[in-house]
Amino acid sequence: MSETTTSKSASAEINQGLSSADKLELYRQMMRIRRFEERSLRAYQAKKIGGFLHLYIGQEAVAVGCCSLMGEHDHVITAYRDHGHAIAVGMDTKPLMAELYGKITGCSKGKGGSMHYFDPSNNFWGGHGIVGGQIPLGVGLAYGVKYQGHKGSAMAFMGDGAVNQGAVHEAMNLAALWDLPCVFVIENNRYSMGTSQIRSTAGPGLAERALGYGMHWEKCFGHDVYEVREIMNKVLTLAREEHKPSVVEIDTYRYRGHSVADPDKTYRTREEIDEYRKNKDPLIIFQHQLTEEGVLSEESQQEIDQAARAEADAAAEFAESSPFPTEADIQKHVYWEADHPDQRTSQGRLFFS
Amino acid sequence: MSELTYREAVRAALAEEIERDQNVVLLGEEVAQFNGAYKVSEGLLDKFGPDRIVDTPISEAGFIGMGVGASMLGVRPVMELMFWSFYSVAFDQILNNAANVRYMSGGLINCPIVIRGPANGGTNVGATHSHTPENVLANHPGVKVVVPATPADAKGLLKSSIRDNDPVMYLENTLLYGIKGEVPDEADFLIPLGSADVKRAGTDLTIVTYGRCVLHSLAAAETIAKEDGAEIEVVDLRTIRPLDIDTVIKSVTKTNRVLIVEEQKPFASVGAQVAFMIQEEAFDHLDAPITRVTTIDAPAIYSPPVETEQLPNVDRVLAAARRALKA
Ligand SMILES: Cc1ncc(C[n+]2csc(CCOP(=O)(O)OP(=O)(O)O)c2C)c(N)n1
Ligand SMILES: [Mg+2]
């Protein structure tokens, strides 16, 4: 390997502390996301999945890098491109795939679908379909962490398109005003659907919008998981130790269309995509890095890949063989009270059909 | 019992619940230092300090969304909207996020938030400040909707709302804030959501109503008792969702006539839903078609004397009740 492939963040303290097993785990997580996404695309093409499917392929180092830093009181919330984050926080891929298939064994019991994954037991608060709508909730998680007296944070992920939503700015102002431990993570994959950043967004950059709120900001090369960890560790420390919010703009790229319904022919070139695949693929970059470090052999690379493929297949089989919810399930999980009839305190009708 | 204004009753409920449960906080525009735009929260900052009583910037989407997020972690925020009319800028946070998060997570997350503030016309503040969105809110399974008419109801229902594990939309009325009534003092004075209240017993006509229209309906019923010799039963729904339709049906089976009185635009109003349910469940008990007094169907007019006529008022209720008694 030439010197240029070496991550300049490899020597950062937060990465120095990683054991070989930890490093392999980062690689494995990214591989599991990639293979899960590819498998779900096949399931979609086989008409097993309804609605939208927004794939995370190409962006794996972002979710894995960020979530690898989570402690007991660190929380995550994101938008609809949420499969990578769900896997990175530790969710099992079987219920994730089953959710795509609309099965009762899905993580949201078939009620949320691809865009609405949740797992509070892993501090994962969704999975949200309205662009930017999750960001005030993320600030609320940060408020909750601080109010309850914990040392922690909330990472509120959004795309580059979401920075133009009003709710995002209201939320940023609140976080800065009240010193809430929220990290606004902008995954800048350069496009919001088919609209490139320059066609949608004024100003010098996305992270720079933090300046208006007097907030700390950073930019980050999101194809290198080490760099993601280095930068994110810095801002998470600020959040945990001083309750200071930050904005981090992470450069990344999606190889697939906006969703699988996007023919991907109108707003970018094939060459551009190929260039990213060849030179900036987060899995290849990290594979080279770990090979260079002597941590990853060709054999173990193959093993990790095979295991990830097998896991994705097993998830699909699990999803396939699981039952759908029934009509009786439609009205469950609407009200806490309706689901806990023995603890109900209200009276009257909750449902009108 | 104490004699309290509606405003003091809401304040007492807030103070008692903030005192009782460390997780309860009050946030909103001008709730702390300014003592509340309508003085509902007067004195609470002094009593509970700035961690529990929090002034927010004018960012309804931002701070209500923040409250929703905090409630997912177990905080129990009470969010004050200066006017419920401003819910429109936070619509996504309330009716996409708060209303749906439990459902879309398959029951893994709940959202014990209360959003409260006044929702009424009649104060000459024009169409932007006079919305009564209880029908819009109640159209969203996942939220509960409460509209108290009296000080006692205001207190007992707010305490229940704060203790509720689902998101509760609590709609007050600026024209009721100064009205006095007897209010129980007990710390555990709770009125269950979803229980209607027969505010006046009668045999000849049922008026189904809620909010400030309860007062108009009671006044009209007294006049009719004196002048016409007919006895009107006034059923105050108190909660729109859950809805105590049983109390309504029981009254209808007794009086066989129904007038609905509501400060709502008529199209797809709360009353429209109630009328549907009455005909579905008590059709054979009706001696005449169900009738309705609503807000006259237009944006809220400013012109003070005309706005009074646009809204349900005692004269309009009287006329409609007399027609309903004869029909
Ligand atoms: C309020 C709202 N407007 C529009 C949409 C439709 N929509 C979904 S994703 C998207 C593009 C968002 O792009 P970006 O924020 O960059 O995220 P990415 O898809 O690149 O991850 C649009 C327009 C939506 N879901 N919500
Ligand atoms: Mg984008």
Side-chain angles (χ1 to χ4, degrees):
Chain A
M1 279 303 127
S2 68
E3 261 180 326
T4 50
T5 61
T6 306
S7 168
K8 68 177 174 51
S9 297
S11 57
E13 207 181 319
I14 189 75
N15 295 321
Q16 286 281 309
L18 293 170
S19 68
S20 297
D22 295 335
K23 292 173 181 175
L24 288 174
E25 186 57 25
L26 291 173
Y27 182 71
R28 182 177 298 113
Q29 294 282 54
M30 291 200 281
M31 184 67 86
R32 288 175 63 228
I33 294 170
R34 171 99 23 126
R35 298 303 176 225
F36 178 88
E37 293 293 63
E38 288 167 351
R39 185 66 190 81
S40 70
L41 175 59
R42 292 213 302 282
Y44 192 92
Q45 287 159 343
K47 302 207 180 323
K48 301 285 183 189
I49 298 174
F52 297 135
L53 183 67
H54 306 90
L55 298 173
Y56 199 63
I57 298 174
Q59 302 188 200
E60 295 89 345
V62 180
V64 169
C66 292
C67 298
S68 67
L69 299 165
M70 284 170 75
E72 190 187 349
H73 295 294
D74 296 313
H75 298 268
V76 168
I77 190 164
T78 187
Y80 45 84
R81 199 179 297 285
D82 58 351
H83 307 175
H85 308 77
I87 293 172
V89 298
M91 289 176 77
D92 182 3
T93 49
K94 285 193 169 99
L96 295 182
M97 189 68 84
E99 188 62 30
L100 301 182
Y101 279 61
K103 299 299 180 78
I104 189 77
T105 53
C107 56
S108 299
K109 303 187 179 69
K111 292 185 158 173
S114 164
M115 301 191 282
H116 308 115
Y117 283 178
F118 293 89
D119 182 6
S121 72
N122 275 304
N123 292 3
F124 182 60
W125 302 92
H128 293 266
I130 301 298
V131 169
Q134 77 280 12
I135 302 304
L137 269 56
V139 170
L141 293 168
Y143 171 88
V145 166
K146 187 176 175 186
Y147 185 78
Q148 292 172 345
H150 300 304
K151 233 180 204 193
S153 69
M155 289 184 265
F157 290 85
M158 71 194 99
D160 46 294
V163 299
N164 297 322
Q165 276 284 9
V168 171
H169 289 270
E170 294 189 20
M172 284 182 174
N173 180 57
L174 291 174
L177 182 70
W178 289 335
D179 282 339
L180 301 177
C182 187
V183 180
F184 300 93
V185 184
I186 303 165
E187 297 192 59
N188 186 354
N189 61 14
R190 301 184 41 190
Y191 298 93
S192 49
M193 275 183 85
T195 306
S196 66
Q197 187 187 325
I198 48 165
R199 293 202 300 123
S200 64
T201 306
L206 308 184
E208 285 88 335
R209 294 205 176 180
L211 280 168
Y213 305 104
M215 241 189 300
H216 181 81
W217 59 277
E218 298 275 353
K219 296 210 187 202
C220 176
F221 179 78
H223 308 273
D224 173 9
V225 71
Y226 276 164
E227 182 165 332
V228 172
R229 283 172 49 84
E230 180 184 11
I231 303 279
M232 286 301 292
N233 181 55
K234 200 153 104 188
V235 294
L236 285 170
T237 305
L238 264 179
R240 295 178 192 128
E241 301 299 327
E242 301 174 40
H243 296 136
K244 288 287 184 204
S246 306
V247 178
V248 182
E249 177 182 347
I250 304 185
D251 287 332
T252 182
Y253 198 75
R254 63 166 161 75
Y255 300 161
R256 303 286 173 165
H258 166 69
S259 75
V260 299
D262 166 18
D264 201 359
K265 293 205 167 95
T266 53
Y267 57 91
R268 59 181 184 178
T269 62
R270 210 27 56 196
E271 291 72 47
E272 179 181 296
I273 303 172
D274 289 343
E275 158 71 16
Y276 272 96
R277 277 187 191 275
K278 221 167 67 203
N279 297 321
K280 290 184 181 165
D281 185 273
L283 277 142
I284 296 177
I285 288 180
F286 200 48
Q287 182 185 331
H288 287 169
Q289 175 69 33
L290 292 186
T291 308
E292 197 175 316
E293 289 183 35
V295 169
L296 184 70
S297 66
E298 173 131 16
E299 203 184 2
S300 55
Q301 192 278 332
Q302 287 293 320
E303 249 172 45
I304 289 170
D305 191 358
Q306 287 312 318
R309 287 171 197 272
E311 179 187 350
D313 284 338
E317 275 158 39
F318 172 79
E320 183 73 48
S321 63
S322 292
F324 287 105
T326 65
E327 241 180 86
D329 291 308
I330 293 174
Q331 289 185 313
K332 288 181 190 155
H333 311 118
V334 179
Y335 291 99
W336 181 90
E337 261 204 322
D339 298 333
H340 298 83
D342 51 322
Q343 292 174 71
R344 183 167 177 191
T345 54
S346 81
Q347 304 165 10
R349 285 200 208 163
L350 280 166
F351 295 99
F352 295 84
S353 64
Chain B
M1 287 280 183
S2 304
E3 177 152 275
L4 297 183
T5 62
Y6 187 103
R7 171 187 288 110
E8 289 164 339
V10 173
R11 185 188 305 145
L14 289 169
E16 286 173 21
E17 295 308 301
I18 290 169
E19 181 92 56
R20 189 184 66 85
D21 182 349
Q22 181 60 38
N23 275 313
V24 178
V25 287
L26 174 67
L27 297 100
E29 293 159 22
E30 311 294 355
V31 298
Q33 277 198 31
F34 193 77
N35 276 321
Y38 285 97
K39 304 293 169 235
V40 169
S41 56
E42 188 161 28
L44 296 184
L45 174 64
D46 286 345
K47 205 163 169 182
F48 297 108
D51 286 344
R52 311 295 295 283
I53 313 293
V54 185
D55 279 326
T56 65
I58 309 158
S59 308
E60 286 81 2
F63 73 75
I64 291 199
M66 190 193 89
V68 173
S71 77
M72 301 190 309
L73 273 188
V75 182
R76 302 182 86 89
V78 179
M79 316 298 296
E80 179 170 309
L81 281 171
M82 192 180 285
F83 287 77
W84 254 104
S85 283
F86 308 152
Y87 87 122
S88 50
V89 303
F91 199 97
D92 180 51
Q93 297 304 322
I94 303 170
L95 295 167
N96 255 328
N97 287 344
N100 291 340
V101 73
R102 177 171 177 80
Y103 196 71
M104 293 199 304
S105 66
L108 294 176
I109 297 172
N110 55 303
C111 188
I113 191 172
V114 174
I115 304 174
R116 52 156 287 273
N120 57 282
T123 58
N124 323 132
V125 289
T128 54
H129 285 55
S130 303
H131 291 284
T132 54
E134 57 271 18
N135 56 330
V136 177
L137 298 168
N139 190 247
H140 293 78
V143 302
K144 294 173 176 170
V145 184
V146 179
V147 192
T150 67
D153 289 350
K155 186 178 178 195
L157 288 166
L158 183 54
K159 285 167 69 77
S160 294
S161 299
I162 294 171
R163 297 185 193 192
D164 203 281
N165 286 332
D166 292 308
V168 180
M169 311 296 123
Y170 182 94
L171 283 63
E172 300 160 18
N173 189 313
T174 55
L175 293 172
L176 295 178
Y177 279 145
I179 299 219
K180 288 185 174 161
E182 290 293 319
V183 180
D185 297 316
E186 306 87 77
D188 276 320
F189 168 59
L190 300 169
I191 297 173
L193 306 192
S195 62
D197 185 39
V198 178
K199 287 279 193 293
R200 183 185 196 280
T203 48
D204 303 317
L205 169 70
T206 296
I207 293 183
V208 181
T209 184
Y210 61 90
R212 181 163 166 256
C213 289
V214 170
L215 277 58
H216 302 326
S217 301
L218 288 170
E222 289 310 316
T223 302
I224 283 178
K226 262 195 235 113
E227 296 180 3
D228 307 41
E231 291 300 334
I232 294 176
E233 180 145 306
V234 177
V235 178
D236 175 4
L237 295 175
R238 300 200 292 194
T239 301
I240 308 304
R241 189 169 187 149
L243 182 69
D244 180 5
I245 194 70
D246 293 349
T247 297
V248 174
I249 299 294
K250 200 169 139 203
S251 178
V252 174
T253 55
K254 186 167 72 171
T255 64
N256 311 114
R257 286 170 195 275
V258 184
L259 169 65
I260 292 166
V261 181
E262 56 180 351
E263 189 178 327
Q264 284 263 278
K265 309 287 164 51
F267 195 100
S269 71
V270 168
Q273 173 67 23
V274 171
F276 168 79
M277 294 172 80
I278 294 171
Q279 65 79 31
E280 187 178 45
E281 299 184 28
F283 185 75
D284 292 337
H285 293 278
L286 290 173
D287 286 347
I290 299 166
T291 52
R292 220 172 20 149
V293 175
T294 64
T295 303
I296 292 173
D297 199 13
I301 193 166
Y302 158 67
S303 179
V306 187
E307 191 188 12
T308 309
E309 293 312 312
Q310 185 178 9
L311 298 179
N313 56 39
V314 179
D315 286 342
R316 288 184 62 204
V317 178
L318 260 179
R322 285 186 168 131
R323 278 195 303 273
L325 282 161
K326 286 199 200 95

